[in-house]
Amino acid sequence: MMRTALLKDITRDIRKSLGRFLSITLIIALGVAFFTGLTIAPDDMLMTADKYYDDYNLMDIRVVSTMGLTEDDLKEIKEIEGVEDAEGGYSLDVLARYDDSEVVLKVHNLPKSDGINRVRLIEGRLPEKPNECVIEKGMKVGFTVPIGSTLKLYSGTDEDLSEKLENTEYTVVGMVQTPYYVSFEKGTSNIGDGQIRAYIMVPEGNFKLDVYTDIYVTVEGAKEIYSYGDSYFPVIDKVTARLEDLAKEREEIRYREIVDEATEELNKAKEQYYEEKAKAEKELADALKKIEDGKEEISKGEKELAKREREFQKTIKEGKEKIAKAEEELISGEKQYEEALKAFEENKSQAIEKFKQAEEEILKGENAIKEMESKVAEINLALANPQLPEEQKATLNIQLETLTATLNSTRESVEAGRKELEAQKLQLASAEEELVKTKEYLESSKKRLEEEKEKLLEGEKTGLKELNKAREELEKSKEDLAKGEEEYLEAKEKAEKELKDAWEEIEKAERDIQNIEKGKWYVLDRNSHYSFVDYKGAADNIEALSKVFPVFFVLVAALVCLTTMTRMVDEQRINIGTLKALGYSKSAIAYKYILYSLFASLLGCILGIAVGFTVFPTVVFNAYGIIYMLPPVNLHFDTFLAFATSLVAVMLTTATSYLACSNELKETTAALMRPKAPKPGKRILLEKIPFIWNRLNFSGKVTVRNIFRYKRRFFMTVIGVAGCTALVLAAFGIRDSIRDVVDIQFGELLTYDVTIGLDSENVDLDDSRILGYELISSEPGSLNYDSISRDVYIVVPKDIKNISQYIRLRDEKTKEPVYIQEKGAVISRQLSKDLNIEIGDEVVVKNSDDKEGTVVVTGITENYLFNYVYLSPDYYKEVFNKDIEYNQAIGKIKEDVKKHEDELSKDLLKKDGVISINFNTKIKDNFGDTIHSLNYVVMVMIVSAGALAFVVLYNLTNVNISERIREIATIKVLGFYDNEVAVYIYRENTILTIVGTVIGLVLGIFLHRYIMTTVEMDKIMFGMEIKLKSYIMAIVLTLGFALFVNFAMYYKLKNVKMVESLKSID
Amino acid sequence: MSGYIEFVDVKKTYKMGEVEINALNGVNFSIEKGEFVIIAGPSGAGKSTILNILGGMDRPTSGKVIVDNKDISQFSNKELITYRRYDIGFVFQFYNLVQNLTARENLELATQISKNPLDIDKVLEDVGLSHRKNNFPAQLSGGEQQRVAIARALAKNPKLLLCDEPTGALDYNTGKSILKLLHDTCKQKGVTVVVITHNLAIAPMGDRIIRVKNGIIESQTVNENPVPIERIEW
């Protein structure tokens, strides 16, 4: 009977005062959500990651070696106890060209679909042909390439990439993610701009390497264990230890292998050397012989030439003599001829006379002949006449005879005369002929002589010419020979030098072989895997936060519940009195209120857990999802957490209800049924200070008295508002701090723009785009103090004075510059804070060669990122007994170059000796992304702070109004306008809010400091300064929330019904 | 003839969910300026409702309420507040003093919003509480508190003084002296005073007696010869 009525009472109460019920629910929900959300978020994050690792078979151990790993190594590893599976992998840094950009990519072999480090296909498909690849589906602002595009790959070094990869062009066919790369940070490289932007995977067959670059190992039974839990690493460590033992063996074997291989090659080289040497020597010898032969020939030639010359001269001489003789003869001949001619001429003229005579005679004779002939003819004719008398014929015949005889004799004599004449003429002619002939002969002889002379001269000329030519040729041959000799000598020198060099190299190679260091295996478990650790760090940050916030909410929740329930109990005092009068026991009455608050808090818990287990982890996870590549979050229900939190929350509310109740129930029944005696007014302390008191106007006095009258309300408002302000300030402060790391570290402390990795000191870095640079040596090492050690970078600048232009060392508080002394180390602030090191302390520093040295700390510098130890070159040398090798140049670049950093980077890398480029802008950008993801977290904090403020202030105002409803009604009756009534009530609220805000600002500073110190990692120190803007935001937001509440309550005030409120208890 | 105060067919209905309660069912009466009026009737008759409407704390559902030639039933909220502020002084049965203020300060609270307030100390003297003016209500007896309440109402210098069962929480003698105070104020200061009571015995002291029953005026009588309160015994 009692139960049902009571239940009805409770439900009606809930419905009547829904606001009150809900405010308890809400504040519980808020606190529970926050606590459970922040507690489970890191677990969800890590468990999602762990499941990812398990689903895709992430390696437990990764083995790398400075000398690479062989098939045999892999076999051996597989056989180690505890190893479930082992796979060899290939990885390579390459440059890729796509569009206009050139980026550094890491090329991995595509893992087997049932192997280790499997990939998760996000888009497209896996490669089927050898020249296909898949690329990472990474951050939106990372390097993205659409499916179907072709990537051209280059080695980035002098080597041709095709020596290491079969294909150098790949078509992207899909996008993947892999548990191997959860973090966006993929490490640095010494090609390109030094920053690995993304990874691609290609079919294994493409790799032409003889050895594996990595071997991935999974450990038996490890998958079942939560890798972020405590029991994971002990299991792994056992196998790691065994691997390390194996490592020693295999290192030795590999060393032997390499040395043997190298020695073989060396021997081959030596052989070749000897061959070449012999060949060279032979060739030289041949050449020499040829030269010698040549020399001989030349001397022979010379001799012959001389001989020929002599002969020639002789011949010419003889010829000349002969000609001279002939000339003589000719002259005598001519003389003779002249004489003969003269004689002839004489003869001739005589003869001609004679001839003439003769001819005349002949003529006479001929005429006579003719006459006779004619006569003959006549005779004949007459004879012929047949009529002729015989006598006459006889006469005639005698005549004829005589005539004929005479004729004949005349003819004969003429003939004879003619003959003689002829003969004489002939003789003459022949004598003339002879003379002519002689002349001719002389002429011809002369001519011949001339000819001969000419011929001789010509012959001489020709002969001389030929001799000269021969001489020239000989000279030329001599020259050639001389040249040939020279060349020979040169060639000999060169050959000797080359041989010498070659021998030197062989000797060097021999030495090198001696110096071959044993390769070192590195057996790396997941703690050395960047992604794994990095993600844990992120989760840890959230965990740290989860420890702080709930405290606030618990406090506030307790207060809210207390006041609400007190109010409720107060309002119902008459009910309670009546129930008591009716005979209900105290516990029965209290039961109602406890149940009420139980329902409220249970509902709140359910709501809070629902939101906490879902919204918070999802928001946090997705915020980090910007920079971590994981599958969607796996939400877990942590029963223990839910139960424990709910228990605490419920206990809290019911305890406060009970407290509120029991106070009331202490009173006597009769008293309960009377209206509660209002709290008596009292003089407050301030009234005793007339100086201030009299200055206050009336309303002021009222307000001040009211504030101090209701102490509980005072504290609640102040705490609630302070909490809200503190949260908001801390939230903004967190953002500022993280921004500080980047802004101060890269804006004020490290003022250089670019870090250039060098392999020697003497590199020409002249480029108009670089304004200036300084050389430094930077090596990783560690610092040890009081048996704690931290990773540091040991930085030794060449010029310890001028370096301040690039690295500003300064005291964190005073901002006074800190200088690197000749003898002393400057360490970064975080080291000093962490390890409690002060100026003057001696610390042990280990450099990258594992050499230890003791240095004195002479300065501590402000620093936010990583840890540094700065030494002067002399001090370094003194401490480590080693010469400095400057391996970096840090420099500033021209302002307008900043947009073309990639170009500058490419150009610089082309220079000899430059091995890597890193621009600070890239580091800044990376951090910018981290900050961006934290904005979500900050947003959640602010929203919660707002909700907190709202709930608290709403509640308080509600309570305020409820408690003073008579008062409010009275002054309304008195004729206070609505806004005057509002002011009357709100004035206190406002003052309390302002006080709360101020306190909250102070609290916020501490809260912020606490959070930043908790969240701090050993490599990053966060700035502690909160910017003015954040303070303003905190104030504005808090007052904003308060104003919002006031506004919401205004209507309630307005609607206070005077009549009901002032009802008599009649 | 229209009086200083006129109620013309005033009806008041309260709606509580589905239930309708007719507090006033057509009330008609008038009051002259400077009268000491007693409104009497049994519990639940509607007396307080009339006073509340008259005091501008509530509105009639229908009908007209004219006070000093102004129909206050047509007043907007703000006008009602102004009306209450300057023209009305209210005295409650349970005093309703602000606990956090001294007697004097309670008066100050009222006078700081009045147009033409009386001097606080004088009023306190008039009610005989000068020696207690710096005490908090919790330090005052019931009668003293009521006197402070009256002083508060008077200090406003209102046209109309409305008192809802002013002596309900007081003993016989204290009650009488309070009534005397009210009456004196009425006659000396010329303030129209309306007193609600369910004690019919004091009805004769009023200039006008309005009897209310079941939400309507049962009778309205003008008393030619009011009896001084000292002489009334009950």
Side-chain angles (χ1 to χ4, degrees), chain A residues 904-948:
Chain A
L904 177 60
S905 158
K906 272 187 227 169
D907 289 340
L908 283 174
L909 280 166
K910 285 196 196 118
K911 289 190 198 249
D912 250 343
V914 173
I915 43 181
S916 72
I917 309 274
N918 261 318
F919 286 100
N920 277 352
T921 40
K922 300 232 176 349
I923 303 180
K924 262 187 175 167
D925 286 345
N926 283 345
F927 261 94
D929 296 331
T930 314
I931 291 172
H932 187 73
S933 73
L934 276 164
N935 274 349
Y936 284 102
V937 177
V938 165
M939 197 61 42
V940 168
M941 275 176 73
I942 292 176
V943 167
S944 313
L948 171 68

XYZ file of all heavy atoms in Angstrom, chain A residues 904-948:
344
model
N 64.360 24.850 -54.534
C 65.658 25.080 -53.881
C 66.218 23.764 -53.374
O 67.404 23.472 -53.506
C 65.481 26.066 -52.722
C 66.733 26.349 -51.894
C 67.815 26.942 -52.761
C 66.412 27.286 -50.747
N 65.327 22.965 -52.835
C 65.758 21.680 -52.305
C 66.349 20.821 -53.414
O 67.419 20.222 -53.256
C 64.561 20.996 -51.664
O 64.768 19.632 -51.589
N 65.637 20.764 -54.539
C 66.155 19.953 -55.639
C 67.522 20.426 -56.077
O 68.451 19.633 -56.263
C 65.201 20.038 -56.832
C 64.099 19.023 -56.794
C 63.301 19.066 -58.079
C 61.840 19.067 -57.743
N 60.950 19.349 -58.792
N 67.643 21.752 -56.225
C 68.917 22.282 -56.702
C 70.039 21.999 -55.717
O 71.159 21.667 -56.106
C 68.802 23.794 -56.917
C 67.925 24.113 -58.118
O 67.755 23.203 -58.948
O 67.420 25.233 -58.208
N 69.745 22.175 -54.442
C 70.782 21.956 -53.449
C 71.221 20.509 -53.433
O 72.397 20.210 -53.282
C 70.283 22.368 -52.065
C 70.253 23.884 -51.805
C 69.606 24.167 -50.473
C 71.650 24.455 -51.826
N 70.260 19.604 -53.596
C 70.614 18.192 -53.545
C 71.497 17.792 -54.717
O 72.191 16.782 -54.658
C 69.345 17.336 -53.533
C 68.715 17.254 -52.141
C 67.314 16.712 -52.234
C 69.534 16.359 -51.244
N 71.449 18.590 -55.805
C 72.299 18.229 -56.937
C 73.761 18.488 -56.600
O 74.661 17.915 -57.192
C 71.915 19.072 -58.164
C 70.623 18.639 -58.811
C 70.515 19.230 -60.211
C 69.088 19.121 -60.696
N 68.448 20.381 -60.962
N 73.988 19.362 -55.615
C 75.387 19.708 -55.320
C 76.091 18.542 -54.656
O 75.512 17.807 -53.861
C 75.426 20.910 -54.370
C 75.005 22.213 -55.052
C 75.298 23.397 -54.128
C 74.519 24.608 -54.577
N 75.352 25.651 -55.125
N 77.349 18.466 -54.959
C 78.184 17.444 -54.353
C 78.247 17.616 -52.852
O 78.546 18.697 -52.368
C 79.617 17.609 -54.890
C 79.944 16.461 -55.803
O 79.234 15.435 -55.751
O 80.897 16.594 -56.564
N 78.013 16.574 -52.154
C 78.209 16.670 -50.712
C 76.934 16.961 -49.947
O 76.904 16.842 -48.731
N 75.888 17.341 -50.658
C 74.630 17.613 -49.955
C 73.822 16.328 -49.940
O 73.566 15.742 -50.981
C 73.840 18.715 -50.683
C 72.460 18.871 -50.062
C 74.598 20.022 -50.617
N 73.465 15.873 -48.754
C 72.717 14.617 -48.718
C 71.260 14.752 -48.290
O 70.466 13.860 -48.533
C 73.389 13.550 -47.818
C 73.882 14.161 -46.517
C 74.510 12.886 -48.529
C 74.558 13.146 -45.624
N 70.888 15.833 -47.651
C 69.467 15.928 -47.318
C 69.093 17.367 -47.044
O 69.932 18.187 -46.717
C 69.139 15.087 -46.088
O 69.666 15.699 -44.927
N 67.830 17.649 -47.232
C 67.335 18.998 -46.976
C 66.081 18.893 -46.122
O 65.209 18.066 -46.397
C 66.918 19.698 -48.284
C 68.014 19.615 -49.317
C 66.508 21.120 -48.018
C 69.029 20.673 -49.224
N 66.024 19.711 -45.120
C 64.795 19.753 -44.315
C 64.394 21.186 -44.083
O 65.173 21.971 -43.586
C 65.066 19.113 -42.947
C 64.575 17.689 -42.909
O 63.506 17.373 -43.402
N 65.372 16.828 -42.353
N 63.170 21.504 -44.459
C 62.710 22.854 -44.219
C 61.885 22.896 -42.956
O 61.067 22.022 -42.719
C 61.861 23.349 -45.388
C 62.677 23.686 -46.580
C 62.781 22.793 -47.637
C 63.341 24.885 -46.655
C 63.554 23.098 -48.744
C 64.106 25.203 -47.762
C 64.209 24.306 -48.806
N 62.108 23.949 -42.166
C 61.353 24.042 -40.933
C 59.877 24.227 -41.168
O 59.063 23.884 -40.325
C 61.884 25.202 -40.070
C 63.087 24.766 -39.286
O 63.433 23.593 -39.264
N 63.741 25.706 -38.642
N 59.525 24.774 -42.329
C 58.106 24.954 -42.601
C 57.390 23.611 -42.582
O 56.254 23.508 -42.167
C 57.872 25.590 -43.971
O 58.800 25.021 -44.883
C 58.039 27.073 -43.899
N 58.085 22.570 -43.053
C 57.433 21.269 -43.078
C 57.157 20.788 -41.664
O 56.109 20.217 -41.377
C 58.305 20.235 -43.790
C 58.580 20.626 -45.211
C 58.233 19.495 -46.159
C 58.375 19.800 -47.616
N 58.587 21.121 -48.058
N 58.118 21.027 -40.783
C 57.919 20.595 -39.403
C 56.774 21.386 -38.797
O 55.913 20.833 -38.105
C 59.200 20.824 -38.580
C 60.347 20.090 -39.241
C 58.988 20.344 -37.169
C 61.649 20.231 -38.522
N 56.764 22.672 -39.103
C 55.689 23.518 -38.589
C 54.346 22.995 -39.080
O 53.389 22.908 -38.324
C 55.850 24.941 -39.124
C 56.522 25.878 -38.175
C 56.446 27.268 -38.773
C 57.003 28.288 -37.824
N 57.228 29.550 -38.427
N 54.304 22.668 -40.355
C 53.045 22.179 -40.917
C 52.587 20.922 -40.219
O 51.421 20.776 -39.890
C 53.216 21.871 -42.413
C 53.284 23.143 -43.222
O 52.922 24.189 -42.670
O 53.707 23.082 -44.377
N 53.520 20.000 -39.987
C 53.146 18.770 -39.310
C 52.532 19.044 -37.957
O 51.542 18.441 -37.574
C 54.370 17.874 -39.127
C 54.720 17.204 -40.427
O 53.934 17.184 -41.350
N 55.903 16.653 -40.489
N 53.142 19.970 -37.249
C 52.596 20.302 -35.945
C 51.259 20.985 -36.068
O 50.378 20.798 -35.238
C 53.561 21.200 -35.174
C 54.350 20.414 -34.215
C 55.589 19.930 -34.569
C 53.833 20.105 -32.974
C 56.303 19.162 -33.685
C 54.548 19.334 -32.090
C 55.790 18.874 -32.452
N 51.149 21.798 -37.088
C 49.875 22.457 -37.309
C 48.747 21.441 -37.374
O 47.661 21.652 -36.839
N 49.037 20.314 -37.996
C 48.004 19.275 -38.094
C 47.663 18.707 -36.736
O 46.500 18.429 -36.445
C 48.478 18.145 -39.006
C 48.662 18.641 -40.416
O 47.943 19.586 -40.790
O 49.521 18.098 -41.127
N 48.682 18.511 -35.921
C 48.418 17.977 -34.581
C 47.536 18.935 -33.802
O 46.592 18.535 -33.123
C 49.751 17.797 -33.819
O 50.672 17.172 -34.681
C 49.521 16.967 -32.580
N 47.868 20.202 -33.910
C 47.066 21.194 -33.201
C 45.638 21.157 -33.692
O 44.692 21.220 -32.914
C 47.650 22.601 -33.423
C 48.986 22.709 -32.710
C 46.698 23.662 -32.924
C 49.714 23.962 -33.012
N 45.509 21.066 -34.992
C 44.184 21.041 -35.581
C 43.346 19.925 -34.983
O 42.185 20.108 -34.649
C 44.342 20.841 -37.086
C 43.070 20.967 -37.813
N 42.434 22.161 -38.024
C 42.310 20.036 -38.396
C 41.336 21.947 -38.705
N 41.220 20.675 -38.948
N 43.965 18.772 -34.801
C 43.184 17.667 -34.264
C 42.845 17.903 -32.809
O 41.838 17.420 -32.307
C 43.946 16.360 -34.412
O 45.007 16.320 -33.480
N 43.701 18.667 -32.157
C 43.402 18.928 -30.760
C 42.271 19.922 -30.606
O 41.668 20.018 -29.528
C 44.652 19.466 -30.054
C 45.582 18.360 -29.591
C 46.938 18.910 -29.270
C 44.999 17.660 -28.380
N 41.994 20.663 -31.656
C 40.895 21.623 -31.583
C 39.601 20.936 -31.207
O 38.781 21.491 -30.485
C 40.720 22.326 -32.931
C 41.633 23.515 -33.041
O 42.228 23.912 -32.054
N 41.737 24.061 -34.219
N 39.451 19.729 -31.711
C 38.220 19.005 -31.367
C 38.144 18.748 -29.879
O 37.090 18.888 -29.253
C 38.167 17.673 -32.111
C 37.809 17.840 -33.542
C 38.779 17.783 -34.524
C 36.499 18.092 -33.917
C 38.454 17.957 -35.835
C 36.170 18.263 -35.246
C 37.147 18.189 -36.186
O 36.840 18.353 -37.506
N 39.301 18.341 -29.367
C 39.339 18.052 -27.934
C 39.000 19.315 -27.149
O 38.199 19.287 -26.206
C 40.748 17.549 -27.546
C 40.827 17.309 -26.072
C 41.050 16.281 -28.314
N 39.610 20.407 -27.581
C 39.345 21.684 -26.912
C 37.856 22.014 -26.997
O 37.245 22.451 -26.017
C 40.192 22.795 -27.565
C 39.679 24.153 -27.167
C 41.636 22.636 -27.176
N 37.295 21.794 -28.151
C 35.874 22.080 -28.358
C 35.030 21.282 -27.385
O 34.107 21.811 -26.765
C 35.518 21.696 -29.799
C 34.239 22.269 -30.321
S 34.160 24.057 -30.391
C 35.757 24.476 -31.001
N 35.346 20.005 -27.254
C 34.589 19.165 -26.318
C 34.680 19.724 -24.914
O 33.683 19.805 -24.187
C 35.119 17.712 -26.361
C 34.549 16.911 -25.214
C 34.773 17.067 -27.682
N 35.905 20.146 -24.558
C 36.084 20.699 -23.218
C 35.229 21.934 -23.013
O 34.614 22.117 -21.956
C 37.551 21.073 -23.001
C 38.400 19.933 -22.547
S 40.113 20.390 -22.423
C 40.088 21.406 -20.968
N 35.224 22.776 -24.023
C 34.491 24.023 -23.860
C 32.995 23.759 -23.778
O 32.280 24.360 -22.964
C 34.821 24.973 -25.023
C 36.269 25.405 -24.893
C 33.899 26.165 -25.021
C 36.743 26.240 -26.013
N 32.526 22.872 -24.626
C 31.100 22.550 -24.584
C 30.727 21.998 -23.218
O 29.711 22.375 -22.631
C 30.754 21.540 -25.693
C 29.374 20.963 -25.464
C 30.832 22.210 -27.050
N 31.574 21.124 -22.721
C 31.297 20.576 -21.393
C 31.327 21.656 -20.337
O 30.483 21.682 -19.434
C 32.335 19.512 -21.037
O 32.515 18.642 -22.100
N 32.314 22.537 -20.459
C 32.392 23.630 -19.490
C 31.114 24.446 -19.545
O 30.558 24.829 -18.512
C 33.598 24.507 -19.790
N 30.662 24.705 -20.743
C 29.429 25.462 -20.904
C 28.254 24.755 -20.278
O 27.444 25.350 -19.551
N 28.186 23.465 -20.563
C 27.090 22.687 -19.988
C 27.155 22.737 -18.478
O 26.132 22.905 -17.796
C 27.180 21.243 -20.489
N 28.369 22.594 -17.972
C 28.570 22.659 -16.530
C 28.058 23.975 -15.968
O 27.259 24.020 -15.025
C 30.064 22.502 -16.227
C 30.473 22.758 -14.780
C 29.923 21.684 -13.884
C 31.977 22.820 -14.659
